[in-house]
Amino acid sequence: MLKQRIADAFDEPGCAANRAKSEVDRKRGCSPRSLVPGAAAGGCAFDGAKIALQPITDAAHLVHGPIACEGNGWDSRHAATSGPELYRTGLTTDMSELDIIHGGEKRLYRAIREVAGRHRPAAIFVYVTCVPSLIGDDVETVCDAAAERFGLPVIPVDAPGFVGSKNLGNKLAGQVLLDRVVGTREPARTTPFDINIIGEYNVAGEMWQILPLLERLGLRVLASITGDARYHEVACAHRARVNMVVCSQAMVSFARAMEDRYGIPYFEGSFYGISDTSAALREMARLLVERGAPATLIPHTEALIAEEEPVAWRRIAPYRERLRGKRVLLYTGGVKSWSVVSALQDVGMTVIGTSVRKSTEDDKERIKGLMGEDAALYGQIPAKDLYRMLAAGEADILMSGGRTQFVALKTKTPWLDINQERHHAYAGYDGMVALVRQIDAAIHHSVWRQVRRRAPWDGDRDGDGR
Amino acid sequence: MSIVEVGTKACAVNPLKTSPALGGALAFLGIERSLPLLHGSQGCTAFALVLLVRHFREAIPLQTTAMSELSTILGGADNVEQAIGNIYERAKPRLIGLCSTALTETRDEDVRGDLRALMVRHPEWRDLSVVYAPTPDFAGSLEVGWASAVQAMIDALVEDGRRMPVRGLVNLLPASYMTPGDVEAIRDVVESFGLSPIVLPDLSRSLDGHVPETYVPTTLGGTPVEQVARMGASQLTLAIGEHMRGAAEALERRSGVPFKVFDRLTGLEAFDGFVETLMEVSGRPAPARLRRERSRLVDAMLDGHFFFTGRTAAVAAEPDLLVAVSRFLDEMGCRTVAAVTTMKTPAAVAVPCESVVVGDLDDLACLVPPGECDLVIANAHGEAAAAAIGAPLHRMGFPVFDRLGTAHRVSVGYRGTRELLFEIGNLLIDHQPDHRPYLRRDREVSIDAETVNA
Ligand code: SF4
């Protein structure tokens, strides 16, 4: 089996570009971002696929592979649920050496049977990781057989880590939904106000900051893909009138495919920041009306915005003075950075640099537009450089993910979590107020004066000891 | 004594295990200026890194050879070479700890041979040691990977041949579950006998949460490689936990250093044994301070045993931690009614529970007879199991990501045992079984009350 795969691998990427490469280059394959051994960071495709699908809360998420993939990774994110807890359960075949020698298919089949029997999930997603992929486990056939036998959808997610980055995994997950889930069920009813929200994972419950706004407009989220989703809703997603893609370059291709297949128009928007939230609501209303919703939706939306915006601004006002001119370094791969940049500028802060690791060219142009031509756009900032910038006091706060948290803290620089692991919700009008409050609390925290003090034995007690 | 049973489920539900490669990396983190490198796809490193960062609340140096599908199939020697080269350029570590993963082990690479060839080809890496530890994910758990890395360091770094033992020099091989605080506590005790321990590995100097003055891309603190090289000159090796026996034996084979394995350092009797050994090697009496700590522990046990007596616990942990915890509970009068561990080892039979199941946290919840468990001990993932069982969770093991100060908790030695006793004892006090009130029906009631109630 492995031999065959080796042979295939030599033949396969048959593009001219690949054949022209040296042997070493060819071994690296055509992965979108070629990874440098010894200088790489970031999750694998499996990680990305699971991030995108796991928020389907009534499904079981079974990871086929040895212990590293699930044993080290489960239960680490805060995609919130309003009901089922099953999605949180860590499920893995935990392949042993014998499974690898003899193939893991039998064990996988038994695992699916156990999960189906014990947890009665709405569906089972089966994630293929590197080892079963390498030894050639035919996961698709196992899943199909199991689906037939146990009478529930069993969906293979073929995104083993070694095919590429987390972003690629997001994309592959979108493809799985398109091929295997969306359009397989029909909703009991539809309305002219049905929308899908794509690429929003309800981290820290952010969906719940948006839903009340949509409800007030009479809009119904037919499927959230996939924050706090139920399997059935995702399966019915093809009946929505409009798709909104939130903060996710990877899921744009998913929305595009839905447009091709089901004629559902989509737009890209963001719920970070006051103006972006309003813009998203406006665009949603416009497209729905275009697709047959009553024209009154538009004035309704304007009325809601006219009511909400001043309230949010009023709540933010006390902080503006305190935050004016404070310098933010934004380092994130998760959310669309332009949206956060404009939100921060709205309250008078200066964004001294932002990462554009996962941004498209369009996004980069937008950021340049916002921050000016000589904006510092970063790819990956090596920890050493990040430390230097922060130690030199170039930023008043770092907003980033947990991975760089401790680099910031060791320089005694305020830090705010804005990635997958965050505990606070920052979406919509309320979310923006919460974000500003958190930034203010971080920057003006009394702890900084304490921890920056010099030790009694270092003399000059009141000096800036950072 | 217990029977160790291997579960028959095909699907692990809420796994207790973490990967051996993570354990290997953790061991390498206890060496000064070191940088662990996982030989696998980048995802393996990312998951391990996130978990280590969450547990220790520290930036953790950890790299990947970034294997792709193709390089996996064609062989990873190039990736290893590039990774070492890049790390060497950028971080100038003294040691790179290379840990395999399931991916590279499935391909059956000759990493050792490749490495030898590499080091010959790169004379410029003279001041760099690269140690390779096989840590396939499909065999064992963190504990195994930790032991494998320690043994690999002994094989690769300790100077060959027998040497005259240096008086007072001893080796300490901490167990994988020992926190930086634990390691420091034991080192202090060893030093209090006038001995100089070489600690392999020493997390108490690298992952103890200090705030350095500058950025360091490798570990800062930990045992220097040069010290590891001198381990052959010690009088004795003190290995903590059955899983460190292999490493101690390897050192004995290599340099003739005799060793003693202590199955645990938690509990009065257990630590007495350790102290006796220190008295023997050093030829000194126990210092006054230690005597006082012992006496305090005795007092704590006298005060505390009431609250443990007759109570029951469910414990899920790696084999040697399970042994340490369940035997301590037993000594305090608390019975272990359910025990789950990560693999079958000779150590696990010492658990005072009818049977020990090799399984996951879901098994733990299922094993407990309904209503018959007052306390759950597991890593932070044990929360769901504790909720299902309906008992409070005391977090031990790895990972513990939802508590502050995980690295500084001490549960070994006289003082650490006392601290553990207090923590668990207080949980048990908080969750005393309710008194079931008996509602009398023949009670005198005043006429007034009756009319009001009517
Ligand atoms: S890279 Fe492969 S083996 Fe590693 S965690 Fe990702 S899927 Fe699992």
Side-chain angles (χ1 to χ4, degrees), chain A residues 2 5-7 9-10 13 18 23-24 26-31 33 35-47 62 66-78 88-97 100 106-108 110-112 114-115 118-119 130-131 133-135 160-166 382-385 387-388 402-403 405-407 409-412 421 465, chain B residues 8-22 37 41-51 53-54 56-60 62-84 86-87 89-91 101-104 106-107 137-141 209-217 361-362 366 379-384 398-399 401:
Chain A
L2 183 58
R5 303 256 302 172
I6 295 175
F10 269 116
N18 204 41
E23 199 200 330
V24 176
R26 222 182 310 144
K27 280 189 200 173
R28 257 183 248 139
C30 299
S31 76
R33 195 156 50 108
L35 298 166
V36 185
C44 61
F46 152 68
D47 193 3
L62 169 59
I67 197 63
C69 317
E70 184 71 349
N72 294 350
W74 72 288
D75 194 18
S76 68
R77 299 183 194 278
H78 300 282
R88 270 204 188 133
T89 306
L91 301 168
T92 176
T93 49
D94 182 10
M95 290 171 84
S96 67
E97 194 160 10
I100 292 171
K106 282 215 185 75
R107 187 183 192 107
L108 176 60
R110 287 202 292 131
I112 295 172
E114 285 171 17
V115 172
R118 161 118 191 256
H119 301 283
C130 296
V131 168
S133 174
L134 184 68
I135 63 173
F162 58 22
V163 299
S165 66
K166 207 144 94 170
K384 184 167 62 177
D385 298 346
Y387 185 95
R388 188 190 42 71
R403 200 189 278 263
Q405 172 179 5
F406 298 98
V407 178
L409 292 181
K410 297 286 179 194
T411 65
K412 300 168 186 171
E421 297 86 11
Chain B
T8 53
K9 291 191 303 188
C11 181
V13 182
N14 293 347
L16 174 64
K17 280 203 277 186
T18 47
S19 79
L22 192 157
L37 169 65
S41 234
Q42 67 161 347
C44 307
T45 292
F47 282 124
L49 182 65
V50 167
L51 206 54
V53 168
R54 289 176 76 204
F56 286 104
R57 296 180 197 270
E58 288 290 319
I60 303 277
L62 182 63
Q63 259 304 331
T64 171
T65 57
M67 298 288 284
S68 68
E69 184 168 18
L70 271 157
S71 54
T72 305
I73 295 169
L74 301 177
D78 289 342
N79 284 56
V80 172
E81 180 169 12
Q82 281 181 49
I84 295 174
N86 285 331
I87 292 171
E89 289 274 293
R90 201 170 36 84
T101 61
L103 193 60
T104 50
T106 300
R107 175 63 168 64
D137 304 309
F138 47 73
S141 184
H210 53 267
V211 180
E213 296 296 317
T214 54
Y215 176 77
V216 194
L361 290 161
D362 182 59
C366 298
N379 63 23
H381 289 309
E383 231 175 341
F398 183 92
F401 42 69

Side-chain angles (χ1 to χ4, degrees), chain B residues 380-400:
Chain B
H381 289 309
E383 231 175 341
I389 291 168
L393 173 67
H394 177 74
R395 292 159 179 79
M396 282 185 100
F398 183 92
V400 176

Side-chain angles (χ1 to χ4, degrees), chain A residues 343-419:
Chain A
L344 297 174
Q345 289 178 338
D346 279 353
V347 286
M349 301 183 74
T350 309
V351 181
I352 60 156
T354 182
S355 61
V356 289
R357 273 176 299 171
K358 294 189 183 164
S359 305
T360 58
E361 284 309 310
D362 274 5
D363 289 342
K364 287 183 200 163
E365 283 311 310
R366 263 173 125 147
I367 291 170
K368 279 189 200 151
L370 285 165
M371 295 170 57
E373 261 314 306
D374 43 31
L377 306 189
Y378 299 103
Q380 201 172 298
I381 310 180
K384 184 167 62 177
D385 298 346
L386 190 61
Y387 185 95
R388 188 190 42 71
M389 291 166 72
L390 296 175
E394 287 176 26
D396 295 306
I397 185 168
L398 173 70
M399 295 171 63
S400 73
R403 200 189 278 263
T404 43
Q405 172 179 5
F406 298 98
V407 178
L409 292 181
K410 297 286 179 194
T411 65
K412 300 168 186 171
T413 302
W415 176 81
L416 194 69
D417 192 355
I418 51 163
N419 259 5

